[in-house]
Amino acid sequence: MENPLHPPEDVISMVLMADPVSLSVVRERFRRWLSSLYWPEREVDDVVMAVNEAVTSAVEHTHPAAIGAEVRVAARKYDEPDGGRRVLVAVAGGEHWTPEPTGFEGPGLLMIHACMDAIEVSREDDGTTMLLTSARVPPL
């Protein structure tokens, strides 16, 4: 199954411009990365959709005056003690995100909740970070 000369990377990361064009790059790279980890196809779709939505939110909520703003995306595959596998994804926007009202949860966050086991959103002075935890998938 795995090629011992080229084992899959457990980590993926990228820094993208806060621009809608970046969305296709994120989707393609995550789909390829999850495929290299032999992730089940149904769960690949859920992770890709959730990450796409998180990056979309970062792009859409970037302050209009934030020329050159970036979105940072990083993910790691981890194994649970019983052999199950998950991915943990962080999507972070820069200090220029437009703040949302406290307690606001739009349709994008609801969709992410439907695709992932857990989501945490942290809004600080220097930016917003979404931390997404995938559903558990079986061991290889």
Side-chain angles (χ1 to χ4, degrees):
M1 212 185 258
E2 271 187 42
N3 181 341
L5 299 177
H6 300 288
E9 296 290 328
D10 288 350
V11 176
I12 184 174
S13 66
M14 58 193 94
V15 178
L16 307 152
M17 296 300 296
D19 185 292
V21 173
S22 299
L23 297 170
S24 63
V25 173
V26 171
R27 288 189 307 267
E28 188 274 329
R29 287 197 61 202
F30 262 82
R31 189 167 295 284
R32 191 171 4 132
W33 177 65
L34 291 166
S35 176
S36 77
L37 298 172
Y38 302 100
W39 221 253
E41 190 60 33
R42 182 173 186 276
E43 284 75 15
V44 167
D45 291 341
D46 282 350
V47 172
V48 169
M49 286 191 326
V51 171
N52 183 72
E53 188 58 40
V55 173
T56 297
S57 182
V59 169
E60 287 179 351
H61 294 285
T62 297
H63 194 280
I67 296 172
E70 296 175 336
V71 176
R72 293 171 307 284
V73 183
R76 171 180 282 288
K77 187 248 336 165
Y78 67 91
D79 298 319
E80 295 182 326
D82 67 355
R85 302 174 297 146
R86 293 182 188 264
V87 292
L88 183 64
V89 183
V91 177
E95 59 188 315
H96 303 289
W97 276 33
T98 303
E100 294 180 355
T102 303
F104 176 78
E105 189 164 293
L109 284 176
L110 294 174
M111 194 277 293
I112 294 170
H113 278 292
C115 292
M116 303 297 270
D117 263 9
I119 175 176
E120 295 176 38
V121 179
S122 171
R123 290 182 179 86
E124 306 294 334
D125 290 340
D126 63 346
T128 300
T129 300
M130 291 186 208
L131 190 60
L132 316 174
T133 304
S134 75
R136 180 188 182 281
V137 300
L140 286 177

